[in-house]
Amino acid sequence: MSLRHLVNLSDLSPAELRGIILRAIELKNSKGAVYEPLKNKVLGMLFEKSSTRTRISFEAGMIQLGGAAIFLSPRDTQLGRGEPIADSARVISRMVDAIMLRTHEHRTVEIFSEHSRVPIINGLTDRSHPCQLLADLQTYYEHRGEIAGRTVAWIGDGNNMCHSYIEAATLLDFKLNIACPDGYDPAPDFLALGGDRVRITREPAEAICGADLVVTDVWASMGQEEEQAKREQAFRGYEVDEKLMKMAAADALFMHCLPAHRGEEVSAAVLEGPQSVVWDEAENRLHAQKALLEFLLVKDSPVRKLSTH
Ligand code: CP
Ligand code: NVA
């Protein structure tokens, strides 16, 4: 079985991504049935930053699939004392069956993937958050069907989540309108990847007009806490509130990877309103990542059979 990683969403082919989404829905619907293809398998989880959803969904997912997960942090491993990342990858990957990392620097996850014997999963870096996209795309599919040909509005920072949305637009062929203030654009390499599907504007109203899905995220990501005040200024007018939401398609959905700041990037009324699917989105982290773990670790898994790599 060839070694595969999920460092960025584009590590998957369109067919694999679609397959994982559909498999996640299947696993969700079979809740209660005992299915333990990962018996005796161990996932190492290294967190340099806080997490609620990512940690719990991976840990619960591994247990439900018959395996186990180990929580690791730089504070209590030698990584925090300067052991080289490549050495850590070599050692940890000889002891566990897959490694999920949440790191400040994206390069750390890349180095792990270059030196690991087992699959590496990006659980969020400064550059991307592919696991969240698996859940978001599953959630869209459950509520509205195929996303191909639809329009998604990203309102806010051109950050890690935005980058992964650009990759998703490329893989699943939807339009992405990004509204972000000057100086907060997505990275040029991600923008280039998106090509014609991606449009940037400084006007949230322009981006959201007729959109089928509206997505936002915090203005200051983890690691940018000291920029909070400056960012609150820069993002003034970017709150997704009811007035803005009305400009989207009548049946538009609202998503946010959470945690959310009510009264900053989203109003309480939108977050708690009828178009918001954020709680399904959060739950789907569990199902989507179970489908991902199965894809990466189970020989002859339904999605692996689609593999063109
Ligand atoms: N959305 C997300 O990744 O949440 P956590 O930071 O709680 O893991
Ligand atoms: N952009 C946010 C996402 C948190 C899940 C961050 O990086 O903090």
Side-chain angles (χ1 to χ4, degrees):
M1 186 167 145
S2 64
L3 179 60
R4 296 287 301 276
H5 304 295
L6 184 74
V7 174
N8 282 308
L9 203 62
S10 319
D11 288 338
L12 300 171
S13 70
E16 289 168 347
L17 175 56
R18 212 169 169 280
I20 288 172
I21 296 164
L22 297 178
R23 181 66 179 146
I25 295 170
E26 219 169 78
L27 290 171
K28 184 177 183 176
N29 291 339
S30 68
K31 213 173 172 178
V34 177
Y35 174 59
E36 298 186 326
L38 300 187
K39 208 163 175 57
N40 296 324
K41 303 271 187 209
V42 177
L43 174 72
M45 306 189 300
L46 180 71
F47 283 93
E48 290 180 358
K49 308 183 210 179
S50 305
S51 169
T52 296
R53 282 143 288 266
T54 304
R55 176 174 177 181
I56 298 169
S57 55
F58 269 110
E59 199 163 329
M62 279 304 292
I63 294 167
Q64 289 173 13
L65 292 172
I70 303 176
F71 176 84
L72 305 162
S73 88
R75 283 172 299 285
D76 41 42
T77 60
Q78 299 288 3
L79 265 163
R81 296 182 58 252
E83 183 165 10
I85 296 165
D87 294 2
S88 304
R90 289 188 186 103
V91 171
I92 299 171
S93 75
R94 284 172 180 241
M95 298 178 183
V96 301
D97 301 280
I99 305 171
M100 191 281 300
L101 299 99
R102 167 167 287 196
T103 61
H104 288 284
E105 288 180 27
H106 188 76
R107 185 71 196 127
T108 304
V109 175
E110 287 177 343
I111 295 172
F112 258 83
S113 72
E114 287 158 14
H115 296 277
S116 173
R117 287 184 167 186
V118 300
I120 295 298
I121 301 169
N122 173 357
L124 183 138
T125 67
D126 56 348
R127 294 258 296 165
S128 59
H129 197 3
C131 291
Q132 184 67 51
L133 260 290
L134 299 181
D136 286 24
L137 295 167
Q138 178 191 342
T139 308
Y140 190 86
Y141 193 94
E142 285 174 345
H143 285 268
R144 295 286 184 267
E146 296 288 347
I147 200 165
R150 301 290 191 149
T151 299
V152 177
W154 175 269
I155 312 292
D157 194 12
N159 64 9
N160 43 14
M161 275 296 299
C162 181
H163 291 164
S164 293
Y165 260 94
I166 294 173
E167 293 190 284
T170 308
L171 287 163
L172 296 188
D173 200 17
F174 58 84
K175 274 177 60 185
L176 181 63
N177 296 338
I178 299 170
C180 56
D182 195 14
Y184 296 91
D185 285 6
D189 56 335
F190 277 99
L191 270 181
L193 190 75
D196 293 345
R197 288 184 192 83
V198 179
R199 197 162 59 97
I200 299 234
T201 164
R202 306 289 172 225
E203 297 299 329
E206 197 183 313
I208 213 169
C209 189
D212 301 292
L213 169 63
V214 179
V215 196
T216 189
D217 187 12
V218 291
W219 292 339
S221 285
M222 286 182 276
Q224 299 171 335
E225 288 80 4
E226 74 291 350
E227 293 177 35
Q228 179 69 29
K230 183 180 126 200
R231 284 171 172 265
E232 277 176 27
Q233 288 290 326
F235 286 90
R236 191 162 286 170
Y238 280 77
E239 181 185 7
V240 180
D241 58 13
E242 283 174 300
K243 187 165 161 245
L244 197 60
M245 205 58 204
K246 279 203 176 70
M247 298 179 200
D251 67 344
L253 297 176
F254 172 79
M255 291 192 202
H256 188 311
C257 63
L258 305 178
H261 295 100
R262 291 163 174 83
E264 289 185 30
E265 75 275 5
V266 60
S267 70
V270 168
L271 192 75
E272 305 287 355
Q275 288 168 285
S276 171
V277 288
V278 298
W279 314 119
D280 289 345
E281 183 188 0
E283 175 188 336
N284 285 339
R285 292 293 303 276
L286 171 68
H287 310 296
Q289 288 158 198
K290 282 170 73 177
L292 172 69
L293 289 163
E294 184 195 54
F295 168 72
L296 293 173
L297 291 172
V298 180
K299 196 168 172 284
D300 295 330
S301 68
V303 185
R304 192 50 96 98
K305 287 182 188 149
L306 302 168
S307 181
T308 52
H309 290 252

